[in-house]
Amino acid sequence: MNNSRYYHFIFIFMLVLFSLNYFSAKIASGGALKNISYAFMLGTILLSLPHFFRKASGFVLPVQIISFSVVFSILMAYISWGQQLSYSVSTIPYLIWFSFFFLLHKKYPIELIERVVMIFGVAYIVLYLFQFLHSDTVYFGFREEFVEDRGIVRILFPGAGVFFLAFFIAINKSLEKNAYKWFYIGFVLMGVGVTLLQVTRQSIGLVAVILLFHYGRKASMAMKVGVVALFVVGIIYLQGSDIYKGLAETQKETVSEGDKYIRVIAGEYFINDFSPNIMSRIFGNGLPNNTSSYGAFTTYLEDVYGFYLSDVGIIGVYVMFGIFAVLSYLYIFYKSFRMRVPEKYYYLKYYTCLLLVTSLTSDAVYSINFMITNVFVLYIFQYLYEYEQQMKWLQKVTAEQELQTVS
């Protein structure tokens, strides 16, 4: 690895590490480690600013709008809720959207980003299993994310964005001819196990559909039989397990609640009653800092009514960052599914599908646990888009030159 690629690798590695705040490790929840991560992110944002105003093609415009919406929401939190501007430091992790423009300026190789994501994907699985085996002590994340629920100690381990993106990359590469084929197959198997242990219905269902779709299309007959056999064995095992019973009971409760389902009630409240004025209904209310009066009110809603912004997905984007950010996300979903990409990059589609499926019930669209991988996915989409446009331009120029030669 030459010096340039080495420094690029270090930068991307540190960007992921600090954006995830070391997988929300307890030892990094304050002090020097947290300050280092915030300083690095702020430096990256400042480096990205000169490249913010570029031609609005492909995915550039929606990312510009989302980035601006996050910045403007700092002012809206002050206007609408009296949250002092000094609290805006907590918004820095959400401003990592700006790194999209620095990545485009530097043209970081896609393979480099994939490699770093896979490294953190492996780290996620190792650290999750460590935390799962030591669930009596919180080493990563927060105690409220450790729940004796659905027949198991359910740990919503922080940093899920790198896990899912690495998982989808591994699915893609497990069918390609490469020296690490069996590593990717092993990662897929471990990823399925971790997904089942986290007992999240949408994730389990989506992973099952994507696996069947991907391997059903391209795999050899032996691998297709293996995948089907794995699902059959898994279903037989789960039917007799506490996990299956817990999932079934939760599903029954959700169906029986109907329109009284707490997420529905919370969504209606945040849309209709939360914003104090017309400006905040358009431009958002800003990110609540837990130590401000605004943050105290959102904590009150969580503790008393069970209304969590993180439970209402893209409605949370609307509440904090406004209607234009929501429209930008909708455009991103539309553009990403409409755009054709080479088969080896199908993981981009799978990841975007995950965001769309969970966009009403989780905070994956804006959470710091997903933020940096959201940026990476859109960067790769834009990289491929610009490459395609360049190829079209070259073909046009070549055709014109050939026409002039003939003439």
Side-chain angles (χ1 to χ4, degrees):
M1 185 182 290
N2 59 40
N3 286 340
S4 177
R5 288 183 66 84
Y6 173 78
Y7 291 127
H8 286 170
F9 176 85
I10 293 298
F11 173 77
I12 297 297
F13 184 92
M14 302 300 277
L15 181 61
V16 176
L17 180 67
F18 294 138
S19 297
L20 297 178
N21 196 28
Y22 318 92
F23 290 102
S24 297
K26 279 300 177 184
I27 61 171
S29 59
L33 287 176
K34 184 175 181 179
N35 291 337
I36 291 171
S37 66
Y38 271 62
F40 185 91
M41 286 188 286
L42 181 59
T44 301
I45 293 164
L46 294 176
L47 286 173
S48 305
L49 287 177
H51 314 292
F52 178 76
F53 296 101
R54 58 182 289 139
K55 183 180 178 181
S57 61
F59 295 86
V60 170
L61 181 59
V63 177
Q64 286 174 328
I65 293 174
I66 292 172
S67 302
F68 180 79
S69 296
V70 176
V71 173
F72 194 71
S73 72
I74 296 172
L75 181 60
M76 289 307 304
Y78 174 75
I79 295 173
S80 299
W81 295 92
Q83 181 170 276
Q84 296 299 314
L85 298 180
S86 58
Y87 289 111
S88 62
V89 67
S90 60
T91 310
I92 288 177
Y94 299 86
L95 291 171
I96 208 65
W97 274 113
F98 280 94
S99 65
F100 171 86
F101 303 100
F102 185 73
L103 294 175
L104 281 178
H105 172 69
K106 289 293 186 179
K107 293 292 183 184
Y108 284 93
I110 295 174
E111 294 77 13
L112 181 65
I113 292 175
E114 290 175 346
R115 189 178 306 135
V116 172
V117 169
M118 289 305 306
I119 290 171
F120 278 93
V122 171
Y124 180 96
I125 291 177
V126 172
L127 295 176
Y128 168 79
L129 293 176
F130 170 80
Q131 182 64 87
F132 183 79
L133 295 172
H134 299 82
S135 58
D136 55 324
T137 303
V138 179
Y139 293 102
F140 301 91
F142 306 94
R143 171 52 64 184
E144 56 267 25
E145 295 171 342
F146 292 56
V147 183
E148 180 71 39
D149 185 25
R150 305 176 190 181
I152 198 170
V153 178
R154 184 181 183 225
I155 301 173
L156 300 178
F157 197 80
V162 289
F163 165 70
F164 280 111
L165 184 54
F167 181 71
F168 297 141
I169 291 173
I171 290 175
N172 243 133
K173 293 187 179 294
S174 66
L175 294 181
E176 297 176 3
K177 293 180 180 179
N178 58 71
Y180 304 101
K181 182 182 182 71
W182 287 105
F183 163 77
Y184 292 119
I185 292 174
F187 189 95
V188 170
L189 294 174
M190 290 295 294
V192 170
V194 169
T195 302
L196 290 174
L197 287 174
Q198 297 199 54
V199 203
T200 302
R201 287 167 292 169
Q202 286 183 328
S203 297
I204 292 173
L206 181 64
V207 163
V209 170
I210 288 175
L211 284 172
L212 290 172
F213 170 79
H214 189 79
Y215 289 117
R217 290 178 62 255
K218 301 294 292 184
S220 64
M221 182 56 67
M223 184 167 283
K224 288 178 182 178
V225 172
V227 171
V228 172
L230 179 65
F231 269 94
V232 171
V233 171
I235 291 171
I236 292 173
Y237 169 75
L238 285 176
Q239 283 182 333
S241 69
D242 290 336
I243 296 176
Y244 177 83
K245 294 174 184 176
L247 282 170
E249 187 61 33
T250 303
Q251 182 63 26
K252 289 179 182 178
E253 291 174 2
T254 300
V255 171
S256 64
E257 287 173 355
D259 59 3
K260 294 182 180 179
Y261 185 37
I262 188 62
R263 280 190 169 96
V264 175
I265 299 172
E268 291 176 348
Y269 171 79
F270 283 124
I271 291 174
N272 298 321
D273 303 312
F274 182 80
S275 299
N277 54 58
I278 188 64
M279 281 190 67
S280 57
R281 286 179 178 272
I282 297 173
F283 300 108
N285 295 269
L287 180 76
N289 184 291
N290 291 335
T291 58
S292 70
S293 57
Y294 175 29
F297 179 66
T298 57
T299 301
Y300 168 79
L301 292 176
E302 294 171 357
D303 295 340
V304 176
Y305 297 102
F307 292 174
Y308 290 84
L309 281 169
S310 59
D311 281 347
V312 292
I314 204 163
I315 295 175
V317 174
Y318 165 70
V319 169
M320 291 187 290
F321 308 125
I323 189 65
F324 295 108
V326 173
L327 293 175
S328 297
Y329 272 105
L330 295 178
Y331 178 80
I332 286 170
F333 290 138
Y334 167 77
K335 181 73 174 178
S336 61
F337 286 118
R338 189 170 180 268
M339 179 178 167
R340 292 183 178 181
V341 298
E343 287 190 4
K344 67 178 183 177
Y345 299 117
Y346 271 14
Y347 62 81
L348 300 172
K349 302 272 190 177
Y350 299 154
Y351 184 90
T352 309
C353 186
L354 170 73
L355 293 185
L356 179 60
V357 168
T358 61
S359 63
L360 292 177
T361 56
S362 83
D363 58 354
V365 286
Y366 69 85
S367 168
I368 61 171
N369 292 314
F370 285 80
M371 187 68 67
I372 191 60
T373 43
N374 292 355
V375 171
F376 284 164
V377 166
L378 291 183
Y379 164 71
I380 297 173
F381 266 125
Q382 183 66 24
Y383 188 105
L384 297 174
Y385 172 83
E386 292 185 1
Y387 178 79
E388 181 183 14
Q389 296 302 116
Q390 185 179 24
M391 290 299 101
K392 288 181 178 179
W393 180 80
L394 287 174
Q395 289 173 0
K396 180 181 178 181
V397 171
T398 302
E400 290 176 349
Q401 290 176 343
E402 290 177 351
L403 183 62
Q404 290 175 357
T405 302
V406 172
S407 302

